[in-house]
Amino acid sequence: MYEGVIIEKLFTKDLRFPTSLNSDGSDAMHTHPDYSCAYVILETNTGQKAHGMTFTLGRGTEVVICAIKALENLIIGQKVQDIYNNFGDFWRKLTSDNQLRWIGPEKGVMHLATAAIVNALWDLWARLEGKPVWKLLVDMSPEQLTSVIDFRYITDVITKDEAIKILKEKEDNKKAREFDLIKNGYPAYTTQVGWLGYSSEKVKSLCKKYLDQGFTAFKVKVGQNLDEDKKRCAMVRENIGSSNVLMVDANQVWCVDEAIDWMKSLAEYKPLWIEEPTSPDDILGHAKIAQALKQYGIGVATGEMCCNRVMFKQFLQAGALEFCQIDSARVGGINEILSIYLMAEKLKVKVCPHAGGVGLCEMVQHLQFWDYVSLSGTKEGKYIEYVDQQHEHFKTPVVIKSAAYMPPTDPGYSSEMFPSTMEKYEFPKGTYWQELANNK
Ligand SMILES: C[C@H](O)[C@@H](O)[C@@H](O)[C@H](O)C(=O)O
Ligand SMILES: [Mg+2]
């Protein structure tokens, strides 16, 4: 298959959207984010193009672009057949270059760059197969699926054979679940009501807007000022009612004991989870918080900045999280994310993907759909995050119906942006940024 198809070119784009102007996406730690991405376009000798990205917040995107360029040599000239026949091996080559790995390994900017490239490789594979990524994954046999994963460093929790066994056990009702997914979609929760920089009036009207659309779960940002948090949580609770779900997200601002005390004060508003209460690297800290908040019915959620499968493994092993928030633009792309899903399934932790960023909703839905059809087999108590931003730049934006993500049918990873978007928002030469510079 794909005989003679070679990856010939790799283009990068530094795309930045001025979201900080309206506080869209703001939280206690990232008060003025400009939603951005390091975007990759691959082109084959047959003229097939594929698109991938990793999410950034503005400044620093140029550093990720530089890291993508450092990996370029490992991609250009590769036969696609060789990549997809042994994708696990190829993924290891990409993450283990014996000189480059020194500036990772498998973390930080290098791993963001890996994610952008690997996302484009999956978009390419799905386009060559004429399927959306979720369907490509669903149609793989357990053996094929596990062949894309590098199990190094995680075999103490899950081996390839165990993973195959778990996937085989779920094969019986796959068709019925796929049918259900196509008909009913997958539940979403919204963060759009709760960006920290939004006024109370705006939060109130957004609660109404999303309630009217059928949303039943709402996330708000906390962590800068306890009195303000109490007021905001009380207001959102009052607006969404007692039977709907509230989540809160502190984006890493607290120390461990501070997180526990702060959350005890917010317990009366009955949040389902506290997200990123402290440093994303503090496994035992999260475990302590999880233990202390159990009696209040508050779970710990984290993962949007967890750097790789090894860290996820330890979070899962330590009982440090109840909601595992994989992110489609972090860790080393789909290959590594699949291993995290498999570990979460084995250790019985719910995966609720993170999607607050550019293109994250578009990509992450594919993974959760696969999880439902092929792995966990359930949507029970799980959601995909939804933010209502920047979808207009995508050729195949997410489709939300009655607060549920509906599975796409177009081939690929839903990651392609319009050329007009690139012309306008490429930094610094896009028309938007040029005009801004000239007006200054
Ligand atoms: C800066 C970003 O908007 C974050 O606040 C966002 O990803 C957030 O943590 C989320 O959970 O959606
Ligand atoms: Mg978050």
Side-chain angles (χ1 to χ4, degrees):
M1 253 204 291
Y2 330 128
E3 212 159 321
V5 183
I6 289 170
I7 298 177
E8 230 174 34
K9 294 176 193 151
L10 184 154
F11 305 97
T12 55
K13 302 259 175 217
D14 175 339
L15 303 177
R16 305 188 190 186
F17 302 95
T19 52
S20 59
L21 292 177
N22 293 319
S23 298
D24 300 330
S26 57
D27 63 53
M29 191 65 104
H30 314 100
T31 49
H32 298 85
D34 278 337
Y35 270 23
S36 305
C37 62
Y39 191 85
V40 171
I41 304 169
L42 299 177
E43 196 176 324
T44 67
N45 57 338
T46 54
Q48 177 69 60
K49 286 190 180 163
H51 307 253
M53 77 186 75
T54 188
F55 172 56
T56 49
L57 289 191
R59 290 185 292 280
T61 311
E62 72 282 8
V63 184
V64 185
I65 297 283
C66 197
I68 293 170
K69 289 190 174 143
L71 288 165
E72 198 179 67
N73 281 342
L74 299 168
I75 304 289
I76 303 291
Q78 289 294 321
K79 292 185 187 139
V80 298
Q81 202 172 19
D82 292 348
I83 296 177
Y84 302 129
N85 281 349
N86 296 294
F87 207 174
D89 288 352
F90 184 77
W91 188 88
R92 186 181 286 190
K93 269 190 208 142
L94 209 54
T95 52
S96 307
D97 175 89
N98 81 90
Q99 294 186 354
L100 274 178
R101 77 180 298 285
W102 203 262
I103 58 170
E106 298 182 40
K107 61 172 79 75
V109 172
M110 282 314 295
H111 224 33
L112 289 176
T114 302
I117 291 173
V118 169
N119 285 342
L121 286 174
W122 278 89
D123 186 53
L124 177 62
W125 195 2
R127 284 170 192 262
L128 292 171
E129 287 287 330
K131 295 175 182 179
V133 160
W134 70 268
K135 180 69 173 147
L136 173 69
L137 292 169
V138 160
D139 288 347
M140 282 181 184
S141 69
E143 287 80 5
Q144 275 176 314
L145 194 284
T146 51
S147 77
V148 310
I149 297 171
D150 182 357
F151 281 86
R152 180 159 66 179
Y153 309 139
I154 59 169
T155 50
D156 50 329
V157 164
I158 197 160
T159 62
K160 190 181 213 167
D161 288 347
E162 265 182 292
I164 291 175
K165 188 165 168 276
I166 293 173
L167 289 163
K168 283 206 163 137
E169 280 164 11
K170 286 288 163 48
E171 278 192 322
D172 279 356
N173 293 319
K174 267 175 74 173
K175 269 282 151 234
R177 286 194 294 270
E178 189 176 330
F179 183 73
D180 168 71
L181 178 70
I182 291 167
K183 192 163 169 252
N184 301 311
Y186 199 104
Y189 75 83
T190 179
T191 307
Q192 204 61 36
V193 299
W195 301 122
L196 204 71
Y198 283 1
S199 68
S200 304
E201 282 318 305
K202 187 160 180 170
V203 172
K204 247 191 247 174
S205 74
L206 287 169
C207 283
K208 184 172 175 343
K209 174 176 168 185
Y210 290 98
L211 275 169
D212 289 348
Q213 288 180 18
F215 280 87
T216 59
F218 304 78
K219 187 164 87 186
V220 298
K221 298 292 179 178
V222 295
Q224 260 181 6
N225 177 303
L226 184 55
D227 289 335
E228 289 299 318
D229 286 354
K230 282 184 176 175
K231 274 188 218 152
R232 177 163 291 209
C233 286
M235 182 181 76
V236 172
R237 222 340 135 217
E238 197 186 310
N239 279 268
I240 66 172
S242 57
S243 59
N244 281 324
V245 174
L246 172 70
M247 297 98 158
V248 295
D249 186 355
N251 289 86
Q252 313 164 21
V253 283
W254 300 317
C255 291
V256 172
D257 294 328
E258 192 183 9
I260 295 169
D261 290 343
W262 201 296
M263 284 312 299
K264 281 183 187 168
S265 303
L266 298 183
E268 63 179 291
Y269 309 107
K270 305 239 173 302
L272 173 68
W273 75 52
I274 170 61
E275 179 171 326
E276 291 203 297
T278 190
S279 161
D281 297 345
D282 190 354
I283 298 158
L284 297 182
H286 278 79
K288 186 176 177 190
I289 296 166
Q291 197 55 38
L293 297 180
K294 219 180 224 154
Q295 58 183 304
Y296 300 92
I298 304 171
V300 166
T302 193
E304 68 183 66
M305 283 208 194
C306 188
C307 57
N308 57 40
R309 67 196 176 289
V310 185
M311 291 289 288
F312 269 110
K313 178 184 80 172
Q314 293 194 29
F315 270 102
L316 293 162
Q317 284 175 308
L321 82 185
E322 196 180 321
F323 301 94
C324 174
Q325 298 180 300
I326 56 109
D327 176 321
S328 50
R330 273 196 192 260
V331 304
I334 295 183
N335 308 53
E336 192 171 7
I337 293 170
L338 295 175
S339 74
I340 297 160
Y341 270 105
L342 285 160
M343 289 190 286
E345 172 62 17
K346 184 171 171 196
L347 298 177
K348 297 283 160 256
V349 170
K350 294 187 189 96
V351 178
C352 294
H354 169 244
V358 177
L360 301 185
C361 298
E362 273 68 22
M363 294 188 287
V364 85
Q365 57 174 341
H366 291 266
L367 308 171
Q368 196 76 350
F369 296 156
W370 163 77
D371 170 70
Y372 171 56
V373 177
S374 299
L375 181 61
S376 72
T378 177
K379 306 177 202 168
E380 195 62 42
K382 297 195 273 192
Y383 306 87
I384 307 174
E385 180 175 12
Y386 176 65
V387 300
D388 216 347
Q389 293 179 203
Q390 281 73 47
H391 300 298
E392 68 277 19
H393 302 299
F394 288 86
K395 278 201 171 161
T396 52
V398 287
V399 175
I400 305 286
K401 274 193 194 150
S402 308
Y405 275 85
M406 303 310 290
T409 52
D410 299 85
Y413 201 11
S414 311
S415 44
E416 181 175 359
M417 287 198 199
F418 289 112
S420 53
T421 288
M422 298 183 204
E423 278 154 30
K424 189 164 178 192
Y425 292 105
E426 184 166 6
F427 187 85
K429 66 178 186 203
T431 49
Y432 175 85
W433 296 109
Q434 282 301 310
E435 268 168 37
L436 198 75
N438 293 341
N439 289 342
K440 265 184 190 162

